[in-house]
């Protein structure tokens, strides 16, 4: 059975706005309640304002009040499959380090926990 997150992330990848890098990324984030939120990268003529697919998906979910997540799946054309960038790791970490991060490329896939990808993370608890 195909993971529904793969299909959702592939669909999001098709909507990537990446005229500068030509590197299309799709992400699908699975909430604790099973809902799936997707995002793609959105580039900008002012390059530094680009938003990655993972953050687009996260902001979509949090914008409707969803804050608890199980997994995020990333689809790109990289081989080996790309891990999330540092900025996305930090933004995802806001909502928990147990998140399973799976990345699917054209031929292979890889999986981590966010804790593995961002050791010694700066988290909201540190502000308490
Ligand atoms: N990108 C993502 O969407 N996610 C990542 O984790 C890494 C990079 C995007 C940003 C930019 O539009 C393009 O990939 C090339 O860096």
């Amino acid at each position: 059975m195909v993971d529904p997150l793969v299909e959702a992330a592939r669909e999001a990848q098709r909507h990537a706005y990446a005229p500068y890098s030509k590197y299309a990324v799709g992400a699908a984030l699975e909430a604790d309640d099973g809902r799936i939120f997707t995002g793609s990268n959105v580039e900008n003529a002012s390059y530094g304002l680009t938003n990655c697919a993972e953050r687009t998906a996260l902001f979509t979910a949090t914008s409707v009040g969803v804050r608890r997540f199980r997994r995020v799946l990333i689809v790109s054309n990289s081989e080996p499959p790309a891990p999330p960038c540092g900025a996305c790791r930090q933004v995802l970490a806001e909502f928990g380090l147990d998140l399973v991060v799976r990345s699917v490329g054209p031929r292979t896939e890889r999986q981590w926990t966010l804790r593995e990808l961002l050791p010694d993370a700066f988290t909201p608890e540190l502000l308490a």
Side-chain angles (χ1 to χ4, degrees):
M1 193 185 84
V2 178
D3 185 341
L5 286 188
V6 175
E7 287 309 308
R10 283 199 206 288
E11 173 66 15
Q13 186 189 26
R14 282 194 278 276
H15 299 296
Y17 177 71
Y20 308 109
S21 73
K22 318 274 190 219
Y23 182 76
V25 185
L29 188 61
E30 182 184 66
D32 270 9
D33 64 8
R35 276 190 285 171
I36 296 172
F37 298 89
T38 62
S40 62
N41 51 332
V42 183
E43 298 187 346
N44 191 275
S46 179
Y47 297 170
L49 298 181
T50 291
N51 206 61
C52 292
E54 298 91 322
R55 274 176 289 151
T56 305
L58 183 74
F59 295 153
T60 299
T62 58
S63 297
V64 293
V66 178
R67 294 183 179 172
R68 297 170 67 91
F69 307 102
R70 297 181 192 139
R71 302 190 289 153
V72 64
L73 189 137
I74 303 156
V75 169
S76 70
N77 296 329
S78 288
E79 202 59 57
C85 81
C88 288
R89 295 179 200 198
Q90 178 64 35
V91 173
L92 290 166
E94 184 75 13
F95 299 98
L97 294 167
D98 293 328
L99 187 75
V100 172
V101 180
R102 188 174 157 214
S103 185
V104 173
R107 289 182 297 284
T108 65
E109 61 177 70
R110 305 160 80 189
Q111 186 171 300
W112 313 263
T113 64
L114 188 55
R115 186 172 279 100
E116 290 171 329
L117 291 174
L118 194 65
D120 293 324
F122 184 79
T123 57
E125 296 76 40
L126 294 168
L127 297 175

